[in-house]
Amino acid sequence: MYKRQIINDILDLSKLEAGRLEIESVDFSIHNLCESTLEMLSPVAHGKGLEIGLILDDRIPTMLQGDDGRIRQMLVNLIGNAIKFTDTGGVTLELHLKSNREDQLLIEFSVSDTGVGISKEGQSKLFQKFSQVNTTRKVQGTGLGLAICKELSRLMNGDVGVSSSPGNGSRFWFTAQLRPLPNQEIPDK
Ligand code: ADP
C-alpha cells in the first residue's frame, strides 16, 4: 500500500512537471466529499485517541463542479499529515468561502492540528519537493505530498499555505476555484 502511494506521487509529479496533469470537471457534493474523506481517515485518528472534526461554511452550496478526486487527494494528504504529527488533541477540517465572482467560488480548505508544529525555518521549505522537516520523528513519508498539493491548487487557480509554531500545532490550507451547479442559490459575496 505504501509503495503504491510513493509510485502515485512520483507519477503525479512527473505529469505536473511535463504539464500533462489535467484537472477534471465533474459534478460532486462537497458535503459527501468531506464526510467520506474524514470517515476514511477517522479509524487512524481514533486509533491514536485523536478527535476529528468538520466545520463547513454554510454559504458554500452543496453541489459543485470541479475535480473532486484531486481535492480528495489534497485533503487526504493534509489530514494524513495532521494525524501523523499529532499525539494528543485533534484535527479539524474547515471549509470557508473566500470569494464569489462571476459564478466562480474560491473555497479555502484548511486542516488544523494540535500536534508538534513546525519552526519558521522548516515552514519555508515545506512545499518544496522531497522536503521533510521533522526528521527526528520515525514517521514514513517522501516529502512529496505538499509539493503536489501546491501544484494541484495552482491548477485550480488557488494557492497553499501554512501557519504553525513548534509545540502549538499547525494549520495547513489550500484554495481552489470551483463552480456552483446551476439552479442553486448563489451565496452572498
Ligand atoms: P510526507 O508527509 O510524505 O513526508 P509532505 O510533503 O506531505 O511529505 O510533508 C512534508 C513534511 O512537512 C513532513 O515530512 C513533515 O516534516 C512536515 N509536515 C507536514 N504536515 C505537518 C503537520 N501537520 N505537522 C508537522 N509537520 C508537518
Side-chain angles (χ1 to χ4, degrees):
M1 181 62 205
Y2 185 62
K3 270 190 199 150
R4 203 172 71 192
Q5 183 57 49
I6 296 178
I7 292 170
N8 284 341
D9 281 357
I10 293 172
L11 281 176
D12 278 349
L13 263 186
S14 37
K15 275 195 219 163
L16 284 162
E17 279 169 6
R20 298 296 287 270
L21 194 143
E22 292 196 3
I23 294 296
E24 291 181 4
S25 184
V26 297
D27 301 349
F28 69 97
S29 153
I30 191 77
H31 295 183
N32 289 353
L33 174 65
C34 291
E35 276 160 16
S36 64
T37 305
L38 288 180
E39 223 165 84
M40 184 181 93
L41 293 167
S42 66
V44 195
H46 294 154
K48 291 182 77 176
L50 302 174
E51 303 276 341
I52 191 158
L54 172 64
I55 301 173
L56 278 175
D57 186 336
D58 56 17
R59 294 172 305 160
I60 302 175
T62 308
M63 292 303 294
L64 299 172
Q65 256 170 2
D67 198 331
D68 60 335
R70 293 293 177 184
I71 291 173
R72 184 190 298 271
Q73 178 181 353
M74 293 192 273
L75 291 177
V76 168
N77 183 51
L78 296 191
I79 300 166
N81 279 346
I83 296 171
K84 204 155 71 168
F85 293 103
T86 303
D87 295 327
T88 54
V91 174
T92 308
L93 167 64
E94 211 165 326
L95 266 61
H96 277 291
L97 180 67
K98 298 293 280 185
S99 67
N100 165 19
R101 279 192 209 106
E102 288 164 20
D103 254 19
Q104 289 282 5
L105 309 180
L106 187 71
I107 297 176
E108 181 191 76
F109 299 78
S110 74
V111 177
S112 308
D113 67 53
T114 53
V116 292
I118 308 155
S119 67
K120 272 269 169 288
E121 195 210 344
Q123 287 173 45
S124 64
K125 302 180 198 147
L126 278 180
F127 296 96
Q128 295 166 14
K129 286 165 224 166
F130 303 108
S131 77
Q132 292 182 294
V133 294
N134 295 309
T135 43
T136 49
R137 296 204 128 204
K138 283 201 179 65
V139 290
Q140 289 187 318
T142 55
L144 293 177
L146 291 174
I148 294 172
C149 281
K150 183 174 172 177
E151 298 301 322
L152 289 177
S153 65
R154 284 196 175 163
L155 288 175
M156 297 183 195
N157 299 320
D159 206 352
V160 287
V162 62
S163 48
S164 180
S165 69
N168 286 317
S170 309
R171 177 179 175 273
F172 280 84
W173 59 266
F174 68 88
T175 49
Q177 210 174 44
L178 299 163
R179 266 180 191 283
L181 282 198
N183 306 325
Q184 284 188 112
E185 207 175 305
I186 306 295
D188 291 337
K189 287 190 185 183

